[in-house]
Amino acid sequence: SYQQLANPKAKLMLKLLLVTSMVGSSEINPMTLSEAKVYQDDPDIGPIASLRKAYEENKIPQLKSIMASKGRKLAEDKELKDYSAEFFKAIKQKILLEKIMSYTNVSLSYLAQDLGVSDAEVKALLVELILDEKVEGKIDESKGFLELKPSERNVLEMKRYISLEKMANNLNLSLIHI
């Protein structure tokens, strides 16, 4: 157990466990354990725990806010320095996945601006997501766009949208004849 009463490294172990749970895309949040809750308000653990919670709940605006306010401090944390690159990459990829979900084509520069990184970094993140088969699509470098293949979810959303549009048109026609 990472948390023992006499163990001064419990906080370090919890920090590392939180970071690796995000990098490894684990669905288990270490902060839900009763032993970890005593560290919830700790100045070193709190920001990482908040990131983990926002990450788990897909709260992209909250992730961005925490990254903007605490990202530099976390990146400079001496105990996390070996993991910080992978840690921040996992968060950025999570944000990208959520952002591109509703698009079939999207500009790399738009994604970069939204994420607050360079076009080259967005491209590198997307290339890795494509190679890991987390994104079905390709990057059109000449136009600077990500072209996504329609996923099952996108197709269902389009069908739902078309059905709602037809229903709205029918209601409008019905109201006109009243």
Side-chain angles (χ1 to χ4, degrees):
S1 173
Y2 62 86
Q3 207 290 347
Q4 296 174 3
L5 196 54
N7 188 347
K9 294 189 178 190
K11 192 161 84 169
L12 170 62
M13 296 302 291
L14 181 56
K15 278 168 65 172
L16 295 174
L17 185 59
L18 282 164
V19 169
T20 56
S21 74
M22 279 189 279
V23 171
S25 299
S26 172
E27 292 183 20
I28 300 170
N29 183 347
M31 291 308 293
T32 59
L33 303 172
S34 59
E35 299 91 349
K37 289 184 181 185
V38 297
Y39 293 107
Q40 184 69 38
D41 296 324
D42 183 275
D44 291 332
I45 300 293
I48 302 170
S50 296
L51 270 174
R52 177 64 174 103
K53 186 174 186 206
Y55 183 87
E56 179 180 343
E57 296 173 356
N58 285 330
K59 293 186 175 175
I60 302 308
Q62 189 176 352
L63 264 175
K64 287 181 180 180
S65 172
I66 296 166
M67 289 292 289
S69 64
K70 308 281 188 199
R72 185 180 182 110
K73 183 180 184 221
L74 292 171
E76 293 171 353
D77 188 313
K78 65 180 179 166
E79 291 138 351
L80 298 178
K81 69 180 176 184
D82 293 337
Y83 306 98
S84 64
E86 286 296 315
F87 174 63
F88 290 119
K89 182 173 75 172
I91 292 170
K92 290 172 186 174
Q93 285 181 331
K94 175 84 163 182
I95 293 169
L96 274 174
L97 283 171
E98 287 296 314
K99 188 71 176 175
I100 66 173
M101 192 176 296
S102 59
Y103 291 99
T104 53
N105 290 314
V106 62
S107 163
L108 298 180
S109 59
Y110 169 73
L111 293 172
Q113 181 182 4
D114 187 65
L115 197 54
V117 299
S118 69
D119 288 8
E121 186 174 354
V122 160
K123 182 179 164 191
L125 291 167
L126 289 169
V127 165
E128 188 170 331
L129 288 169
I130 291 168
L131 292 174
D132 289 344
E133 298 180 354
K134 293 179 182 176
V135 170
E136 288 187 50
K138 63 182 181 177
I139 296 173
D140 183 337
E141 289 188 55
S142 64
K143 295 179 184 173
F145 272 81
L146 170 66
E147 297 174 1
L148 295 163
K149 293 180 184 173
S151 68
E152 235 177 86
R153 180 178 177 187
N154 288 347
V155 170
L156 289 174
E157 285 178 3
M158 285 301 288
K159 286 181 180 178
R160 188 177 310 130
Y161 175 77
I162 290 167
S163 295
L164 287 171
E165 187 177 44
K166 285 179 182 177
M167 187 172 71
N169 287 337
N170 287 338
L171 283 171
N172 283 338
L173 289 174
S174 296
L175 291 174
I176 290 172
H177 296 302
I178 292 180

